Amino acid sequence: DAKTTQPPSMDCAEGRAANLPCNHSTISGNEYVYWYRQIHSQGPQYIIHGLKNNETNEMASLIITEDRKSSTLILPHATLRDTAVYYCIVTIYGGSQGNLIFGKGTKLSVKP
Amino acid sequence: EAGVTQFPSHSVIEKGQTVTLRCDPISGHDNLYWYRRVMGKEIKFLLHFVKESKQDESGMPNNRFLAERTGGTYSTLKVQPAELEDSGVYFCASSQVSGFYNEQFFGPGTRLTVL
């Protein structure tokens, strides 16, 4: 079972910031928080990951609370193409580790 | 650089038939994963190859599913005989073994319909 809890759906106006929350209260010390998204009819796509510090890349920002029990993915200027299901995944660090456990995710709808 | 490719994109077969799905990972990626999403369910892990070896096959549903990765390059996933509940989208992903994070690159998936 997924170790994370996300709201099933959210709406966001185009051009505004989308803030997607995730609860992972049972996260352990060697686990990272990853975010993937799946745009309709495509395979999942990596967005960002973090351990305990806030992270930013060209796609998004990740804010992790100090106790690491929750995080927020921020899409600073959402576009219609950001409409997708967003998955928050907690997993052990390391390229040779195995599987990603996908939960139900949050369906983000960006509206004009 | 080419991404992960999967063939076929769609497959429609009858119950009891055999189907083979193929995945070509990104060149140089030693890790190869298979996942699937059956109707209305979440994406579930099936198995993980490191080069040609099966690192973890704990997600394989039963012995009707056989995955291979000869030579550590492309992989095939065979379903024999197919059942109705095997219908869904099968995704393949790959990643670098020496990567510092678990960024898996996914293919577009193969949509399997068993009638």
Side-chain angles (χ1 to χ4, degrees), chain B residues 39-114:
Chain B
M39 184 67 71
K41 302 284 189 173
E42 297 152 23
I43 298 172
K44 294 290 188 183
F45 165 80
L46 295 178
L47 88 159
H48 168 203
F49 283 100
V50 177
K51 296 185 180 180
E52 67 275 8
S53 299
K54 293 176 183 175
Q55 178 84 1
D56 180 358
E57 52 184 327
S58 61
M60 295 288 267
N62 51 60
N63 59 10
R64 296 185 294 103
F65 289 76
L66 175 64
E68 295 181 320
R69 192 181 182 195
T70 306
T73 55
Y74 71 92
S75 174
T76 58
L77 179 65
K78 180 191 291 188
V79 185
Q80 178 182 30
E83 298 289 344
L84 299 178
E85 63 264 26
D86 300 332
S87 295
V89 182
Y90 289 75
F91 294 104
C92 174
S94 70
S95 69
Q96 293 178 318
V97 69
S98 59
F100 289 105
Y101 53 92
N102 204 2
E103 179 181 354
Q104 297 184 18
F105 295 84
F106 283 77
T110 293
R111 180 173 295 278
L112 174 65
T113 302
V114 183

Side-chain angles (χ1 to χ4, degrees), chain A residues 9-59:
Chain A
S9 63
M10 292 182 65
D11 290 341
C12 178
E14 187 177 20
R16 305 297 293 268
N19 296 279
L20 293 92
C22 178
N23 286 320
H24 32 80
S25 58
T26 61
I27 193 169
S28 58
N30 63 345
E31 290 181 315
Y32 280 62
V33 180
Y34 284 78
W35 284 83
Y36 280 73
R37 72 180 182 182
Q38 186 179 21
I39 296 171
H40 183 61
S41 297
Q42 298 182 21
Q45 175 191 25
Y46 166 84
I47 301 173
I48 198 168
H49 78 284
L51 180 63
K52 56 182 179 181
N53 297 321
N54 298 337
E55 302 288 343
T56 295
N57 63 20
E58 65 278 4
M59 289 182 68

Side-chain angles (χ1 to χ4, degrees), chain A residues 63-80:
Chain A
I63 309 297
I64 302 174
T65 58
E66 191 170 346
D67 63 7
R68 303 211 319 127
K69 293 185 177 181
S70 65
S71 61
T72 301
L73 178 74
I74 301 172
L75 307 179
H77 306 286
T79 71
L80 298 179

